[in-house]
């Protein structure tokens, strides 16, 4: 769909939006200030888990006895160490077999590197994001290890947590005047997969798609959740609609071309995706989500296996 030009914003409305949102942000930031710096598991299981850096020395490794235990065969039993010195946090490689990486740079054995906000630490196939004390995201992205936040089948965020994060991200985007977009998608003719191959095959597809998207199509700040059944939502902070549309198209193509093999048979799997972006006149997170849902149905009504951007 062609993107429509936006009407000029009303100064009075903007002021009321800012005042309303600032109160919410103030409360959330006060909570964040009470939290320690942390590492957030953005690639690995369970996605979204927070490791609070509460002591001066904490080891990352595969040994269950270490402070930051990660079950990843590519990680050494004692892989790397987090060291805190006053207000600074450092990462030290402990002579690991496969190395420790910060923002794709491999550390030398025993090398000590100071961490800065949003540094990405890669150990094995696991990626952790560093957030200093007092960062808003520490509150926003809660502990996915809690059953209250996790979809049991797919091991991604569930609808309950999605709605909490959606509200927080929506308010932050309106206050800070940053881009915010949503991708809402489902699987085409999913009922036929269950009917023709069995519900176990359907469960396999849902789990396989969740892993595919988590590993190949998400950026560190993207939030991916199962909305229900075969429906999924991705929240894209600081992302304009056109970029979200491009991401959605890559996901669509990735699903269409991925070999879903169940009991020796390749299952036919495609998806329809709807995209919406925050614009002037959208007064609630629910309205923004509804626009993405409407775009999804336009994609389905238009023949399925396509992306529609509801601009």
């Amino acid at each position: 769909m062609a993107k429509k030009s936006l009407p000029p914003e009303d100064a009075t409305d903007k002021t009321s939006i800012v005042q309303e949102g600032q109160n919410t942000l103030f409360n959330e930031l006060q909570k964040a200030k009470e939290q320690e710096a942390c590492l957030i598991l953005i690639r690995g299981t369970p996605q979204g888990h927070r490791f609070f850096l509460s002591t001066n020395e904490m080891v990352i490794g595969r040994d269950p006895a270490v402070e930051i235990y990660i079950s990843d065969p590519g990680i050494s039993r004692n892989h790397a160490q987090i060291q805190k010195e006053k207000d600074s946090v450092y990462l030290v490689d402990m002579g690991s077999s496969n190395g420790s990486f910060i923002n794709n740079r491999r550390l030398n054995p025993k090398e000590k590197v100071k961490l800065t906000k949003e540094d990405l630490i890669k150990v094995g196939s696991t990626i952790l994001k560093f957030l200093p004390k007092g960062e808003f995201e520490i509150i926003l992205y809660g502990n996915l290890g809690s059953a209250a936040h996790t979809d049991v089948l797919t091991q991604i965020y569930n609808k309950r947590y999605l709605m909490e994060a959606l509200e927080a991200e929506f308010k932050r985007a309106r206050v800070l005047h940053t881009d915010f977009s949503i991708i809402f998608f489902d699987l085409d003719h999913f009922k036929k997969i269950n009917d023709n191959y069995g519900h176990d095959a359907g469960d396999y597809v849902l789990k396989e798609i969740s892993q595919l998207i988590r590993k190949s199509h998400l950026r560190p700040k993207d939030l991916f959740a199962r909305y229900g059944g075969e429906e999924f939502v991705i929240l894209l902070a600081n992302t304009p609609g056109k970029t979200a549309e491009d991401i959605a198209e890559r996901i669509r193509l990735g699903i269409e071309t991925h070999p879903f093999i169940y009991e020796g048979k390749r299952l036919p799997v495609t998806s329809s995706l709807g995209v919406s972006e925050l614009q002037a006149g959208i007064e609630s997170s629910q309205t923004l989500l509804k626009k993405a849902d409407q775009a999804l149905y336009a994609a389905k009504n238009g023949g399925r296996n396509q992306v529609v951007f509801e601009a």
Side-chain angles (χ1 to χ4, degrees), residues 40-42 47-48 129 137 139-144 149 156-169 172 180-185 213-214 217-227 232-239 247 251 289:
I40 297 180
L41 190 60
I42 61 171
Q47 182 189 9
K129 178 167 69 174
E137 283 185 57
I139 295 297
L140 177 61
Y141 298 105
N143 184 357
L144 186 59
H149 295 158
I156 60 175
Y157 289 111
N158 60 17
K159 183 178 179 180
R160 174 180 173 180
Y161 186 72
L162 167 71
M163 302 312 290
E164 293 175 359
L166 170 62
E167 186 66 19
E169 281 287 8
R172 180 166 67 169
F180 179 41
S181 298
I182 294 176
I183 298 173
F184 202 147
F185 73 95
I213 292 175
R214 280 174 55 180
H217 297 288
L218 294 184
R219 303 165 306 175
K221 289 186 178 182
D222 298 340
L223 192 148
F224 179 38
R226 185 183 182 190
Y227 189 78
F232 298 87
V233 172
I234 303 174
L235 305 184
L236 305 168
N238 300 304
T239 304
I247 293 171
I251 290 173
L289 184 64

Side-chain angles (χ1 to χ4, degrees), residues 199-249:
H199 287 277
D200 287 346
D203 288 349
Y204 156 76
V205 170
L206 294 174
K207 290 188 287 186
E208 187 75 1
I209 278 180
S210 299
Q211 292 301 312
L212 171 66
I213 292 175
R214 280 174 55 180
K215 292 180 179 179
S216 303
H217 297 288
L218 294 184
R219 303 165 306 175
K221 289 186 178 182
D222 298 340
L223 192 148
F224 179 38
R226 185 183 182 190
Y227 189 78
E230 69 274 22
E231 295 182 318
F232 298 87
V233 172
I234 303 174
L235 305 184
L236 305 168
N238 300 304
T239 304
K242 184 61 177 69
T243 301
E245 184 180 20
D246 292 340
I247 293 171
E249 175 56 27

Side-chain angles (χ1 to χ4, degrees), residues 65-78:
V66 303
E67 292 84 0
I68 302 176
Y69 165 67
I70 300 174
S71 179
D72 180 335
I75 295 177
S76 299
R77 294 182 65 83
N78 292 274

Side-chain angles (χ1 to χ4, degrees), residues 56-57 81-85 88-92 112:
N56 289 336
E57 294 185 351
Q81 186 179 59
I82 295 291
Q83 297 180 1
K84 291 173 60 179
E85 297 176 9
S88 298
V89 179
Y90 299 84
L91 179 72
V92 181
K112 181 177 179 178

